[in-house]
Amino acid sequence: MVFAKEDVNYSLYLVTDSTMLPPGTTLYSQVEAGLKNGVTLVQIREKDTETGSFIEEALDVQKICKKYNVPLIINDRIDVAMAIDADGVHVGQQDMPIPMVRKLLGPSKIIGWSVGKPSEVETLAKWGPDMVDYIGVGTLFPTLTKKNPKKSPMGPQGAIAVLDALEEYKASWCRTVGIGGLHPDNIQRVISQCVATNGKRSLDGISLVSDIMAAPDACAATVRLREMIDRTKYQFVDCELNESFPTAVSIKSVISQVSSNRPLVQHVTNKVHQNFGANVTLALGSSPIMSEIQSEVSELARIPNASLLLNTGSVAPIEMLKAAINAYNEVNRPITFDPVGYSATETRLCLNNTLLTYGQFACIKGNSSEILFLAKLNNDKMKGVDAGSGKNDDALLARATQIVAFKYKTIAVCTGEHDFIADGTFGGECKLSSGTAGVTAEGLPCVMIENGSIPIMGDITASGCSLGSTIASFVGGLDPTGNLFDAVVGAVLLYKTAGKLASTRCQGSGSFHVQLIDALYQLFHENKPEKWSASLKKFN
Ligand SMILES: Cc1ncc(COP(=O)(O)OP(=O)(O)O)c(N)n1
Ligand SMILES: Cc1ncsc1CCOP(=O)(O)O
Ligand SMILES: [Mg+2]
C-alpha cells in the first residue's frame, strides 16, 4: 500500500517501545489501543531488538496498521523497511544520510528526519522537496525514553526557531511533529506556543512514546490525548481571554471582583520584596502568603482565587519553582512571572529560560532591559535611551512587548516611564498546522500607559516587584467571566496612578513607601478608575 504523502495525518504520532510495557499488555495491544482511539501514524522503534525479531514485530504491527489504514514508519532500519515494504522510515542525524535513504526507498515512501536546530533545516531545504517529508522537532522536554540524548531539551522556544527556519528557507512541503517528554500537562501549551514568528506555521503533530506505550490503560490515555490535541482553545486560566480594550467601566468591574473574591496571592519572591509586597497585596483587598514550601503548593493553588507571583529574584530551589508552576497550571490558576535581572548573570538566564520553558504564564512582566532581552532585541538597538531622563524608544519597547507576548502566548508588560502591555493569548485559540493564521507580533493588541515621570519610584526597594503583586492580585481576583487583559491593564493603571499620587504627598523615599501603600489602598477602595491620573491609549 502506498500512502499519498499529502494524506498523511501527523496529528497523533505513536512511536513504539516494548521496553516499557505495563504488566498484562503487549506491543500489539498498546499499538491497537492507540489506533482504535485516534493514533494517526505509527513508528516502530526497537533499539535493542535483533533483526529477525524486529522484522517479525514490524510485520505484525504492519497488519494492525493496515486494519486502521494508518501508515507504518520504521525507525533507523532502512533494510527492515524495505524488507516489509513499510510506508517509510525515520532517521536521525547520526543515521544513514537522507539522500541515500531516498535512493534506497524511492520517491513514494515517507522519510522523517530528526531536527534540533535551524542549520539542519537549511540542509533539508537545500536537498529540496524530494528528500525529507517531515521532521521530528525535539527533544522538547526532558525524557527518559531516549537514552543518551545528544542535546539538552530545546523547549517550545527551540521549536519556534526550527519553524522559523522552515519559513526562512521556504521548506513549505516539510511537515513537523514535536517530540520528547510530551504529556497532557504540556501538549496544549506546545500547540499554542510553537508557532513560527510569521504566524504561518505551527506543528503538524504531537509524537510520543511513553504516554501511550507505558499506559496501563492505553485506550484511555489515547482518548485523552486525542481530545486534547483536537481542542481549539487552550484555556490556561479560568477567566475570559477574548480580546478587549479596557475602559474605566471594565476596570471598575475588575476591582469589584478582586474586592469580593479576595484572592490568595502566593509570593515566591526575593527577600527585599516580601514585606512590601505583602503590604501592597493587603492594600488591594487580597491575601498574601509568602510560601516557598514545595509540599504545599498544590494545596495553595486549589484555594479559591489562588494566584501565583513568581519573581525569580527568589532563591527558592528550581524544583520548588517548577512544582509551583505545575501546581497552578494544573488547576488553571494564573501565574504572574517576573524574570528579575533576566540576563544579568548566566545563572539567572538559565533559571529564567528553564522556567519560561516549563510553564504557561498569565502575565510576564519586566523592565525595558528584561523585555528587550526576552524579545532578543538587545539594548544597544534602543535609540535615545537615558535612564535618567527616561527617554525611551517607545516604538521599540512596544514592539519588544508584543514579541514577548507572541512568543509565550501571554500578556506581556514592559515597565518604564511609559508602560506597554500586549496581549499575545489569541483568546486561547490554537490548532495544529494553523499557526496564528498569519497574525504576527506587531498585530497584537498593545496599549501604552503614561503618567509623567515618577523618579522617586526608583528610589525605593521593590517598587517594580510590587507591581507584580498588584497584577497577581488583579488576575487572581477575577470571576470566570472576568477578562485577563482588563485585569492586567487595570493593575498597571492603578499602580501608575498611585505612584504619581504618592510622589506628590511624600517628603522623601521613606515616606514614599508608606504613601504608595496608602495611595493603592485609597484608589482601590474608592474604585473610581475614571478619575485616575494615568492615561491609557492604544499603541497600534
Ligand atoms: C518522530 C520522531 N522524531 C524523532 C525521533 C528520534 O530519531 P533519532 O534521532 O534517530 O533517534 P532514535 O529514535 O533513533 O533513538 C524519532 N525516532 N521519531
Ligand atoms: C524517540 C525520541 N526522540 C526524541 S525524544 C524521543 C523519545 C520520546 O519519548 P517520550 O514521548 O516517552 O518522552
Ligand atoms: Mg535514529
Side-chain angles (χ1 to χ4, degrees), residues 389 416-419 449-458 460 463 467 491-508 511-520 522-523 531-535:
S389 68
E417 182 178 339
H418 297 160
D419 296 332
I449 291 174
E450 56 184 323
N451 203 8
S453 67
I454 315 173
I456 199 165
M457 268 291 204
I460 63 166
S463 59
L467 170 59
V492 178
L493 265 171
L494 168 65
Y495 201 76
K496 203 112 185 155
T497 300
K500 178 64 87 178
L501 185 56
S503 69
T504 62
R505 294 173 169 174
C506 70
Q507 309 303 313
S511 54
F512 179 69
H513 241 144
V514 174
Q515 290 295 349
L516 181 55
I517 289 177
D518 275 358
L520 287 166
Q522 178 192 342
L523 293 168
K531 291 188 169 180
W532 292 354
S533 60
S535 69

Side-chain angles (χ1 to χ4, degrees), residues 179-195:
I179 189 166
L182 289 172
H183 299 282
D185 66 349
N186 58 27
I187 279 172
Q188 280 203 289
R189 177 160 62 86
V190 162
I191 295 172
S192 165
Q193 290 185 358
C194 297
V195 175

Side-chain angles (χ1 to χ4, degrees), residues 229-453:
I229 289 167
D230 293 339
R231 236 183 266 171
T232 56
K233 179 128 185 185
Y234 176 32
Q235 191 67 43
F236 59 86
V237 279
D238 44 12
C239 63
E240 287 299 326
L241 293 172
N242 52 4
E243 189 174 327
S244 81
F245 185 76
T247 63
V249 172
S250 67
I251 292 169
K252 191 182 188 73
S253 166
V254 167
I255 291 180
S256 301
Q257 293 169 55
V258 175
S259 190
S260 62
N261 291 326
R262 193 173 177 76
L264 176 88
V265 183
Q266 181 178 355
H267 286 61
V268 178
T269 187
N270 61 72
K271 300 204 176 327
V272 170
H273 169 223
Q274 288 188 359
N275 178 271
F276 191 58
N279 283 305
V280 165
T281 303
L282 287 164
L284 300 171
S286 307
S287 175
I289 179 165
M290 321 317 263
S291 165
E292 299 183 358
I293 303 168
Q294 183 167 337
S295 60
E296 69 177 6
V297 281
S298 242
E299 269 179 82
L300 293 176
R302 285 165 169 77
I303 292 173
N305 290 100
S307 180
L308 175 66
L309 172 62
L310 194 45
N311 173 311
T312 48
S314 150
V315 290
I318 180 87
E319 287 317 312
M320 184 273 156
L321 301 175
K322 283 181 166 183
I325 292 171
N326 226 14
Y328 280 78
N329 275 173
E330 204 174 13
V331 291
N332 295 342
R333 292 306 306 162
I335 305 174
T336 301
F337 186 57
D338 189 349
V340 173
Y342 176 68
S343 60
T345 63
E346 272 308 308
T347 305
R348 281 175 185 261
L349 187 60
C350 178
L351 169 68
N352 283 307
N353 280 337
T354 302
L355 297 177
L356 283 163
T357 290
Y358 194 74
Q360 176 63 43
F361 301 100
C363 176
I364 296 176
K365 74 157 283 283
N367 62 31
S368 53
S369 301
E370 290 154 354
I371 294 297
L372 281 165
F373 202 94
L374 273 167
K376 295 187 173 18
L377 296 175
N378 52 34
N379 275 302
D380 61 16
K381 287 191 181 170
M382 288 185 71
K383 295 184 290 297
V385 170
D386 172 346
S389 68
K391 286 197 200 71
N392 282 334
D393 181 331
D394 284 347
L396 182 66
L397 293 176
R399 178 100 176 76
T401 310
Q402 290 173 311
I403 289 170
V404 172
F406 187 92
K407 280 157 65 89
Y408 298 99
K409 298 300 179 288
T410 186
I411 308 281
V413 176
C414 177
T415 60
E417 182 178 339
H418 297 160
D419 296 332
F420 298 91
I421 308 170
D423 181 354
T425 63
F426 286 88
E429 299 301 317
C430 66
K431 193 177 173 193
L432 284 174
S433 306
S434 305
T436 51
V439 176
T440 59
E442 55 261 35
L444 293 181
C446 183
V447 297
M448 181 173 85
I449 291 174
E450 56 184 323
N451 203 8
S453 67

